[in-house]
Structure formats: structure tokens, C-alpha cells
Amino acid sequence: MPKRLRLTRRFPVAMSEDAYRRLRRFAREAGLDEGEALSFPFENFDRVTVSEVLPHRLRLFNADLEARKR
């Protein structure tokens, strides 16, 4: 029997407009609602990320973050 998806936590999330548009597009294409679509990458984090590329992408994101906040 498949494991039932239970959304047990709700928390306020701050996202850029670009990230939210991408989340909505991903959810629509996958046939999920936004909460389910947001749960998917975190439940499968090690399988959906390339561990060699992630630190580099994170450094780039952090370097650009302060400028994007203004």
C-alpha cells in the first residue's frame, strides 16, 4: 500500500517572485498543489540534487542575496 502524504506542518515562507512562479509551474506540470510540490524536493533532496554542484550554486546564491534584498 502506498504511503499516504500527510502535510503536517504549515509555516510562513518568503520566496522571490521568480521562485514562486517556478513553484507554481512545477506544481501544475506535476499535477500537485503548491504544498505537495514544495514537499517533493525536500523529501527527495539527495536524489534531486547534484551534490558536487550544490555548494557552488549555494555560494552564488548567497553572494547575490544581499543585492536582491534591496
Side-chain angles (χ1 to χ4, degrees), residues 49-60:
T49 60
V50 178
S51 60
E52 295 81 27
V53 177
L54 184 61
H56 173 69
R57 297 298 303 168
L58 188 55
R59 277 192 303 276
L60 291 175

Side-chain angles (χ1 to χ4, degrees), residues 31-46:
L32 303 169
D33 67 33
E34 283 114 5
E36 295 164 340
L38 192 54
S39 292
F40 171 78
F42 290 102
E43 287 182 12
N44 298 283
F45 192 78
D46 292 333

Side-chain angles (χ1 to χ4, degrees), residues 3-66:
K3 181 178 163 185
R4 183 168 181 249
L5 177 64
R6 289 183 36 204
L7 301 176
T8 59
R9 305 265 186 228
R10 295 194 180 271
F11 58 96
V13 176
M15 307 184 110
S16 67
E17 284 296 318
D18 290 341
Y20 187 63
R21 279 193 293 273
R22 182 64 186 104
L23 172 64
R24 290 182 61 204
R25 187 174 79 204
F26 171 67
R28 186 177 57 249
E29 290 170 356
L32 303 169
D33 67 33
E34 283 114 5
E36 295 164 340
L38 192 54
S39 292
F40 171 78
F42 290 102
E43 287 182 12
N44 298 283
F45 192 78
D46 292 333
R47 290 175 282 205
V48 299
T49 60
V50 178
S51 60
E52 295 81 27
V53 177
L54 184 61
H56 173 69
R57 297 298 303 168
L58 188 55
R59 277 192 303 276
L60 291 175
F61 180 81
N62 281 331
D64 191 41
L65 190 57
E66 281 305 314

